[in-house]
Amino acid sequence: MSDNGQRPKNNLIILQRGEPVLAQVANPVTDINSEQIKQLITDLKITVAEAKGVGIAAPQVGESLRLFLMCSAPSERYPDAPLLPISVIINPEIRSTSEQQALGWEGCLSVKGKRALVARYTSIDVSYLDEAGTKHNKTLTNFLARIFQHELDHLDGITFIERLNNENDAIDEQQWRETYLT
Ligand code: NI
């Protein structure tokens, strides 16, 4: 317990697909400077680092808020990911997209042990607020565009499984590993 009676949370439990909050449309963040939001951002940073994810959305830890982190870095599961500082993305919007989509392998911390090829726009124009409340307008391409679309889906109650033509198109991570990692 700290002096103000708030329990340090930090490493949060990541909910799995099937939990109702992961199927809900999340609410806009109205007070970026609140202690609740600051604590949530701190906790998400620790949680996604420990889980070795490239992104995490607030609903995945049970908070139905339009907020996610992008934390692209190369890893075994995402060897081609660019190394970037963690971005906090609040109240995001996709303003426009490329016509072109591409298939790429995705997994999700809320769909443990599964991978699938998911079609995403290769380029998107986005806007969002960062944790200081500063507005950003950016064009994201390729892997970063993919993370953004995957995480934004979480804010709209969608996991990558719902993006597949057939749920059985998802394969076991172990099978993926044996087939696609050399
Ligand atoms: Ni996910």
Side-chain angles (χ1 to χ4, degrees), residues 55-57 60 107-111 150-151 154 159-160:
I56 191 167
Q60 293 182 272
C108 179
L109 298 174
S110 293
V111 188
H150 176 115
E151 300 307 330
H154 278 303
T159 74
F160 78 98

Side-chain angles (χ1 to χ4, degrees), residues 6 9 33-41 63 65:
Q6 284 183 324
K9 287 188 279 188
N33 296 315
S34 69
E35 281 306 313
Q36 181 211 359
I37 296 298
K38 284 183 187 165
Q39 177 83 53
L40 177 61
I41 291 168
E63 299 289 345
L65 291 167

Side-chain angles (χ1 to χ4, degrees), residues 19 25 143 154:
E19 291 279 348
V25 176
F143 191 69
H154 278 303

Side-chain angles (χ1 to χ4, degrees), residues 6-147:
Q6 284 183 324
R7 190 165 53 92
K9 287 188 279 188
N10 295 326
N11 199 7
L12 304 172
I13 292 167
I14 298 172
L15 302 176
Q16 294 299 298
R17 182 166 175 262
E19 291 279 348
V21 68
L22 287 171
Q24 288 170 7
V25 176
N27 301 306
V29 175
T30 53
D31 186 0
I32 288 175
N33 296 315
S34 69
E35 281 306 313
Q36 181 211 359
I37 296 298
K38 284 183 187 165
Q39 177 83 53
L40 177 61
I41 291 168
T42 300
D43 293 351
L44 282 171
K45 284 179 178 173
I46 291 166
T47 304
V48 75
E50 292 213 357
K52 297 189 169 68
V54 293
I56 191 167
Q60 293 182 272
V61 297
E63 299 289 345
S64 194
L65 291 167
R66 302 191 76 79
L67 183 160
F68 63 76
L69 306 189
M70 291 175 64
C71 17
S72 175
S75 66
E76 186 195 40
R77 288 166 77 230
Y78 300 101
D80 301 324
L83 178 59
L84 290 174
I86 291 183
S87 300
V88 179
I89 311 285
I90 298 171
N91 297 343
E93 284 178 44
I94 294 179
R95 299 220 167 261
S96 65
T97 71
S98 56
E99 287 187 14
Q100 191 189 20
Q101 295 193 331
L103 291 171
W105 286 104
E106 293 186 17
C108 179
L109 298 174
S110 293
V111 188
K112 261 194 196 137
K114 292 285 183 187
R115 307 271 292 179
L117 280 173
V118 184
R120 302 285 188 189
Y121 295 108
T122 54
S123 175
I124 53 176
D125 291 340
V126 303
S127 66
Y128 60 90
L129 304 175
D130 66 19
E131 60 197 304
T134 304
K135 181 144 186 181
H136 295 264
N137 294 295
K138 278 188 185 171
T139 300
L140 301 178
T141 59
N142 301 319
F143 191 69
L144 296 182
R146 178 170 297 280
I147 299 177

